[in-house]
Amino acid sequence: PNPLCWCMASAARKRARTGGGGDEGPVPVADGFEAPIFGARVVGQVTTLALEGEDGPLASLGSAGVASDHAGAWYVATKDSLLHVSAAGRVRRVAALPAGEVYSIAISPDGSAAFVADYSSHKIRRVEVATGAVTTLAGSGEQGDADGVGDAAQFYDLYGVTISPDGSALFVADFCGQKIRRVEV
């Protein structure tokens, strides 16, 4: 089975398991096959959001990763872009992403940066939200499992990334390396 079909935002998964709910608002979830973005409001209810933007319908862009910020907006990584989705559902392109396969993104606590786990390029990329500048934070681009700084580090197929509450470190699922890696930010 394709691991993308298992993807669901952790908060939504917890609410589904525990029956919790409340007024926490939508939790965006990426569907790896049809690529629409979903917002789950109550246990078991799934709604496809009709999102349009500068780059056309979001569903046609190949959505792969999604993360929310603390201001009520969220970000979607597609096959070649990082998109910002306002609380009203308006989509705009933040940055062009280098060729690769993105399965996961994380947003810094202050919302100034997005971190992209690039599966096929074996790199962690940093996107400055205000400017759209994309830099490689870690990863040589070669498959491996070497610890190190910047391009001295090696990953082997990145599947997930999250950020610590204080924004000082990323935690990365190195899928084929079968490790959880810590990357200082």
Side-chain angles (χ1 to χ4, degrees):
N2 185 325
L4 282 179
C5 62
W6 304 333
C7 295
M8 190 162 98
S10 60
R13 185 180 306 125
K14 181 177 179 185
R15 282 192 296 224
R17 276 197 322 263
T18 63
D23 297 320
E24 297 177 55
V27 175
V29 179
D31 177 344
F33 293 105
E34 296 177 23
I37 301 302
F38 297 94
R41 294 190 178 269
V42 296
V43 174
Q45 176 185 354
V46 176
T47 305
T48 299
L49 302 177
L51 301 172
E52 297 283 336
E54 298 165 5
D55 298 320
L58 186 59
S60 68
L61 298 176
S63 305
V66 63
S68 61
D69 66 14
H70 295 289
W74 30 292
Y75 293 82
V76 178
T78 70
K79 58 188 170 197
D80 61 3
S81 298
L82 180 67
L83 307 174
H84 174 269
V85 182
S86 72
R90 185 77 184 141
V91 180
R92 72 175 171 81
R93 186 175 179 185
V94 174
L97 297 176
E101 290 180 71
V102 176
Y103 287 154
S104 183
I105 60 175
I107 305 300
S108 64
D110 66 3
S112 66
F115 299 92
V116 178
D118 190 331
Y119 174 84
S120 61
S121 294
H122 316 290
K123 294 181 178 183
I124 300 292
R125 304 205 192 267
R126 179 185 177 114
V127 179
E128 298 300 327
V129 171
T131 64
V134 180
T135 56
T136 299
L137 178 63
S140 68
E142 300 294 322
Q143 293 177 350
D145 66 355
D147 289 339
V149 176
D151 63 3
Q154 290 182 319
F155 301 100
Y156 192 179
D157 297 342
L158 301 167
Y159 251 67
V161 62
T162 192
I163 193 162
S164 63
D166 67 357
S168 66
L170 298 174
F171 298 93
V172 182
D174 194 341
F175 182 70
C176 290
Q178 300 180 352
K179 297 176 180 178
I180 302 297
R181 312 285 294 279
R182 180 184 171 114
V183 179
E184 300 302 322
V185 176

